């Protein structure tokens, strides 16, 4: 095992076994930029046997969270499969155990890109027309999958294909959201409840380009995007805290670098760094972005910096920078809202709380 791989494994182990503030400090010392771009392609699904799971759409329309026909060519009988909480937990566990299976991917975790997939699948919602949102998983199709804001999310979709093959009864729409929840919880974030019942749609339901935030723009743009979904200023800032995780890639968004020193652990450091570090324009051939003057290893997008330029946004940045518990409480509430936008749940559908693997 190479020294860089060992170093990353030790860094992540340190992050999980120390206090949250120590987490960020330790990560600041051990975290380093990765020069190469990394890709992931899942193996092709194995050929199906004579047993096949076929989704029963009629039952869903009638209000069922998940009913499926189970047919066997060797038998004339038809069984109905109704997923339980335990079945959904198994899906969560399968995702969670694989998050760090490829130590060469980004910072050693697929968590950030899975969260981005769930976010972008949900963030297309339009409250006026009732279109978009996580109900549909229409990013599987062109043109939505090819929208610039979704560049690189094929890695997340490919990562989840083996999970879909193992649990063919689950819809892509529910699977992608469970992936986002697993990412948050396994990266030390707050508990996010899950409500099943999303149904997949075809390419005709693809949303138009331009519904997701553009990192190169400012406060007016952010309000236009998020108000369309039904969010307010406080919720906009709380959702932005997800930028504590992951990094930008020149071959995807065009931007480059992580927002924090601990990109695989969710903390309120995104807000602290926005306020405490001195930010300057990065001198490079890429799009306009900021870098921290001290180490030049962190980045902020113009849309991030707008949060401390706008008075209404900044008050919430300051609150979350001072209080990680408040950030977690508000982040959990607004992410739950985001993931459920536009989903026609049955009224008595209960929310599920998943047990964590990395408790």
């Amino acid at each position: 095992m190479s020294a860089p791989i060992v170093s990353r494994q030790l860094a992540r182990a340190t992050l999980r076994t120390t206090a949250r503030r120590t987490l960020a400090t330790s990560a600041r010392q051990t975290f380093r930029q990765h020069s190469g771009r990394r890709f992931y392609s899942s193996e092709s699904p194995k050929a199906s046997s004579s047993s096949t799971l076929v989704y029963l759409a009629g039952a869903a329309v009638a209000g069922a969270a998940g009913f499926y026909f189970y047919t066997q060519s060797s038998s004339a009988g038809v069984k109905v499969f109704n997923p339980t909480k335990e079945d959904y937990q198994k899906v969560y566990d399968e995702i969670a155990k694989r998050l760090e299976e490829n130590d060469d991917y980004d910072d050693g975790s697929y968590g950030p890109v899975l969260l981005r997939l769930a976010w972008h699948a949900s963030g297309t919602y339009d409250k006026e027309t009732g279109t978009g949102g996580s109900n549909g998983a229409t990013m599987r199709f062109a043109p939505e999958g090819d929208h610039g804001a979704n560049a690189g999310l094929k890695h997340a979709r490919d990562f989840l294909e083996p999970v879909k093959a193992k649990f063919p009864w689950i819809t892509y729409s529910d699977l992608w959201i469970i992936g986002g929840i697993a990412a948050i919880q396994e990266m030390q974030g707050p508990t996010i409840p899950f409500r099943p019942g999303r149904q997949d749609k075809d390419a005709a339901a693809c949303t138009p380009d331009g519904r997701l935030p553009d990192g190169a723009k400012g406060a007016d743009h952010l309000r236009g995007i998020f108000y369309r979904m039904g969010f307010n200023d406080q919720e906009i800032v709380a959702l932005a805290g997800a930028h504590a995780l992951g990094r930008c890639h020149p071959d995807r968004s065009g931007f480059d670098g992580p927002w924090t020193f601990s990109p695989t652990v969710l903390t309120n450091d995104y807000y602290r760094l926005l306020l405490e570090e001195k930010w300057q324009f990065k001198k490079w051939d890429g799009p306009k972005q900021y870098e921290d003057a001290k180490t030049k290893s962190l980045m902020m997008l113009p849309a991030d910096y707008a949060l401390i330029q706008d008075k209404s946004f900044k008050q919430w940045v300051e609150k979350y920078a001072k209080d990680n518990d408040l950030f977690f409480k508000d982040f959990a509430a607004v992410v739950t809202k985001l993931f459920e936008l536009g989903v026609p749940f049955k009224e008595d559908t209960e929310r599920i709380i998943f047990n964590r693997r990395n408790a």
Side-chain angles (χ1 to χ4, degrees):
M1 186 177 295
S2 67
I5 291 177
V6 172
S7 176
R8 289 195 296 271
Q9 290 176 336
L10 288 174
R12 292 200 303 275
T14 300
L15 291 174
R16 288 198 178 92
T17 56
T18 57
R20 187 164 297 278
R21 181 55 54 207
T22 304
L23 283 173
T25 303
S26 176
R28 187 185 297 264
Q29 297 170 347
T30 58
F31 177 74
R32 61 184 177 81
Q33 299 277 64
H34 299 299
S35 58
R37 304 270 65 80
R38 301 173 176 91
F39 300 87
Y40 175 82
S41 178
S42 64
E43 60 179 337
S44 301
K46 296 181 180 179
S48 60
S49 64
S50 59
S51 297
T52 308
L53 281 173
V54 182
Y55 170 59
L56 177 57
V61 174
F67 282 97
Y68 301 83
F69 275 138
Y70 183 74
T71 63
Q72 289 183 304
S73 60
S74 60
S75 171
V78 176
K79 301 178 181 179
V80 176
F81 176 61
N82 182 22
T84 65
K85 292 181 180 179
E86 290 72 25
D87 292 313
Y88 287 109
Q89 180 69 55
K90 290 177 182 177
V91 175
Y92 176 98
D93 290 343
E94 183 68 18
I95 296 171
K97 76 178 184 181
R98 293 183 52 225
L99 287 178
E100 297 180 357
E101 68 178 9
N102 184 350
D103 208 75
D104 284 332
Y105 183 82
D106 268 2
D107 302 296
S109 174
Y110 285 98
V113 75
L114 291 182
L115 176 54
R116 182 169 168 247
L117 174 64
W119 204 119
H120 283 215
S122 305
T124 57
Y125 182 67
D126 185 329
K127 67 180 182 180
E128 298 300 326
T129 63
T131 57
S134 65
N135 193 50
T138 49
M139 200 192 303
R140 291 170 294 145
F141 310 108
E144 190 172 335
D146 298 328
H147 290 168
N150 294 328
L153 288 178
K154 184 178 185 299
H155 303 298
R157 300 195 299 271
D158 285 350
F159 174 89
L160 291 172
E161 279 299 327
V163 183
K164 173 66 173 172
K166 186 171 182 177
F167 303 98
W169 52 265
I170 194 168
T171 63
Y172 280 102
S173 303
D174 273 345
L175 176 63
W176 290 1
I177 296 302
I178 295 177
I181 292 173
I184 293 170
Q185 295 193 168
E186 299 301 313
M187 292 189 292
Q188 308 281 315
T191 297
I192 308 296
F194 169 73
R195 189 156 44 149
R198 296 165 186 80
Q199 307 306 328
D200 295 338
K201 299 179 181 179
D202 60 25
C206 282
T207 55
D209 200 0
R211 287 196 177 184
L212 293 168
D214 184 340
K217 296 184 179 180
D220 289 343
H221 167 77
L222 291 176
R223 288 193 172 94
I225 292 292
F226 287 94
Y227 284 9
R228 187 204 70 230
M229 290 186 266
F231 293 113
N232 59 32
D233 285 1
Q234 173 265 316
E235 292 171 315
I236 292 172
V237 178
L239 278 173
H243 280 176
L245 302 170
R247 62 171 58 236
C248 287
H249 304 75
D251 60 336
R252 300 180 194 179
S253 65
F255 302 104
D256 187 29
W259 289 267
T260 72
F261 292 103
S262 53
T264 61
V265 178
L266 184 59
T267 70
N268 64 339
D269 279 359
Y270 167 76
Y271 305 106
R272 290 195 317 101
L273 290 165
L274 256 178
L275 293 171
E276 295 174 6
E277 296 297 323
K278 180 180 179 181
W279 298 96
Q280 61 189 22
F281 287 122
K282 181 181 177 69
K283 296 179 180 179
W284 72 318
D285 294 332
K288 177 182 176 181
Q289 69 176 67
Y290 295 88
E291 65 180 6
D292 69 304
K294 187 182 300 181
T295 71
K296 295 183 174 57
S297 64
L298 300 179
M299 57 94 42
M300 289 288 171
L301 304 174
D304 297 310
Y305 201 72
L307 298 183
I308 58 174
Q309 293 176 310
D310 181 276
K311 184 178 180 180
S312 177
F313 287 150
K314 187 176 181 180
Q315 65 174 321
W316 290 104
V317 174
E318 292 172 337
K319 289 179 181 180
Y320 295 143
K322 295 176 181 177
D323 192 338
N324 191 75
D325 291 338
L326 176 63
F327 163 53
F328 268 28
K329 179 179 73 70
D330 288 354
F331 182 75
V334 74
V335 166
T336 301
K337 176 179 176 178
L338 172 69
F339 287 174
E340 294 187 352
L341 289 175
V343 183
F345 296 111
K346 184 180 177 182
E347 289 185 6
D348 61 352
T349 302
E350 295 182 3
R351 286 192 170 102
I352 299 170
I353 300 299
F354 292 120
N355 297 322
R356 305 173 187 235
R357 285 178 59 87
N358 291 321

